[in-house]
Amino acid sequence: MNYFTPGIHFVPFESVRDAHDKAVYYLEANEQANRIRLEGQRRAKALIESRVFWLPNSTLHLAPKGFFLERDK
């Protein structure tokens, strides 16, 4: 299961040079960069608020009651 989709929720890169080139590109492509940023934020928030977290072996587990203290009040 993929939690985030490349190009939708984040910008993947393959090398330092590729990361640099994409950073330069997205500094000019503000609208596209903001769309990816917002989609990434929405997805991360949805995963966190669903009380789902994953262990190093990528097995999904429900967070125990009280894990999110502020939301449990």
Side-chain angles (χ1 to χ4, degrees), residues 13-67:
F13 58 90
E14 296 183 18
S15 67
V16 172
R17 179 65 182 185
D18 187 33
H20 172 269
D21 292 345
K22 287 179 179 177
V24 169
Y25 170 80
Y26 284 107
L27 284 172
E28 294 296 321
N30 288 331
E31 193 171 309
Q32 190 175 8
N34 275 333
R35 180 187 53 79
I36 293 170
R37 177 185 61 81
L38 288 172
E39 289 301 321
Q41 281 181 322
R42 285 185 192 118
R43 182 67 178 138
K45 184 178 179 186
L47 287 169
I48 290 167
E49 289 180 349
S50 70
R51 294 177 171 255
V52 174
F53 68 97
W54 48 96
L55 298 175
N57 66 1
S58 298
T59 303
L60 287 176
H61 296 274
L62 293 179
K65 187 82 170 156
F67 186 80

